[in-house]
């Protein structure tokens, strides 16, 4: 907590007071692969192992957890020992447009996410409601994003994570799922943040069929979701939402065609 000046409009002028405010803390972590630092992130200081696993996997650097021989978390540094093939992929990292996230060029350009799961309209709202019911830090500070994995068959949130960055929250829930060997084809990624194309790529790499966001997607995110058969739902607010791709996974929208 820190002391801040609070200013409020009132009849006849302004009211000024000094109050204590809750603020989120930044944690800088370096990911070091076989002795070489590949990236430095600012995240929240929890679930660091999950973050690193989810990040390396969703970027396309690691294709299977067996490619990681060792992972040691120390203060502000995670040392990862990997097989040589991972180092070859690291040499071709490119910069994606959103938030400077690094990704390996799409190695499976024709990949289609296959899943026979469906979700009812009311469950879309429930997934978002459960997301924010679990966002304790957001309610206190308003300074974080939150993401979850939502079980489409059981209609329940499996895990919800808050972090400074929207990418970091998604990496952490993916890492959580990888450690538990969950079936990603039966879950949705639910997020408070905007959805850009690199976040869709993360879903594609782990075969997640559905992304639900309270916020907007980009044009490129929608094109990528359509290309890889990911159902992308955005602007889930109040009693409405938009479906940008693959509406057949929403019960009642099976016959709706998008241009």
């Amino acid at each position: 907590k820190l002391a801040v000046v609070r200013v409020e409009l009132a009849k006849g002028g302004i009211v000024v007071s000094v109050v204590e405010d809750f603020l989120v803390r930044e944690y800088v972590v370096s990911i070091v692969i076989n002795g070489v630092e590949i990236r430095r992130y600012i995240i929240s200081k929890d679930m660091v192992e999950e973050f690193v696993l989810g990040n390396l996997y969703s970027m396309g650097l690691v294709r299977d957890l067996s490619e990681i021989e060792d992972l040691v978390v120390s203060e502000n540094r995670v040392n990862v020992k990997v097989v040589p093939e991972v180092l070859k992929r690291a040499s071709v990292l490119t910069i994606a447009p959103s938030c400077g996230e690094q990704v390996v060029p799409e190695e499976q350009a024709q990949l289609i996410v296959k899943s026979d799961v469906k979700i009812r309209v009311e469950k879309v709202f429930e997934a978002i409601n459960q997301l924010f019911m679990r966002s304790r830090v957001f309610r206190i500070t308003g300074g974080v994003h939150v993401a979850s994995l939502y079980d489409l068959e059981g209609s329940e949130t499996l895990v919800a994570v808050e972090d400074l960055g929207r990418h970091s929250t998604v990496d952490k829930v993916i890492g959580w799922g990888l450690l538990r060997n969950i079936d990603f084809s039966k879950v949705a990624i639910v997020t408070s943040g905007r959805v850009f194309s690199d976040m869709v790529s993360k879903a594609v790499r782990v075969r997640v069929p559905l992304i639900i966001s309270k916020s907007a997607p980009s044009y490129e995110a929608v094109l990528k979701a359509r290309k890889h058969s990911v159902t992308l739902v955005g602007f889930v607010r109040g009693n409405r939402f938009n479906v940008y791709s693959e509406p057949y996974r929403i019960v009642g929208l099976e016959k709706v065609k998008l241009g």
Side-chain angles (χ1 to χ4, degrees), residues 46-47 50 127 130-135 146-151 155-162 169-180 182 184 187-191:
D46 66 319
M47 296 179 68
E50 287 86 348
Q130 288 186 18
L131 179 76
F132 286 102
M133 284 176 61
R134 298 241 195 152
S135 56
V146 58
S148 72
L149 294 181
Y150 182 79
D151 180 0
S155 298
E156 63 174 339
T157 298
L158 300 177
V159 63
V161 175
E162 295 176 285
T169 61
V170 172
D171 286 341
K172 285 182 178 181
V173 296
I174 288 175
W176 183 94
L178 289 170
L179 286 173
R180 289 158 180 80
I182 72 162
F184 283 100
V187 301
I189 290 177
V190 188
T191 175

Side-chain angles (χ1 to χ4, degrees), residues 203-248:
V204 171
R205 286 198 173 97
V206 292
R207 313 302 195 265
V208 167
L210 176 62
I211 300 173
I212 301 172
S213 174
K214 183 180 180 182
S215 300
S218 69
Y219 179 85
E220 288 75 15
V222 172
L223 293 185
K224 183 174 282 287
R226 292 181 179 184
K227 177 179 180 180
H228 296 287
S229 193
V230 173
T231 301
L232 179 53
V233 177
F235 277 118
V236 186
R237 300 177 182 184
N239 62 351
R240 65 173 178 84
F241 57 79
N242 295 338
V243 183
Y244 297 90
S245 59
E246 311 304 293
Y248 64 85

Side-chain angles (χ1 to χ4, degrees), residues 68-128:
I68 296 178
E69 297 177 341
D70 192 28
L71 188 152
V72 178
V73 179
S74 57
E75 187 65 27
N76 299 107
R77 182 182 178 98
V78 179
N79 291 297
V80 188
K81 185 179 180 182
V82 300
V83 298
E85 187 63 29
V86 175
L87 295 179
K88 295 179 183 178
R89 297 176 197 139
S91 68
V92 293
L93 282 175
T94 59
I95 301 297
S98 57
C99 300
E101 178 74 314
Q102 290 186 331
V103 297
V104 173
E106 188 60 59
E107 70 284 352
Q108 294 174 307
Q110 304 306 315
L111 175 66
I112 300 298
V113 176
K114 297 180 180 179
S115 176
D116 58 1
V117 297
K118 290 184 178 293
I119 186 171
R120 299 199 305 274
V121 167
E122 61 269 23
K123 295 300 181 181
V124 173
F125 295 111
E126 181 179 293
I128 286 288

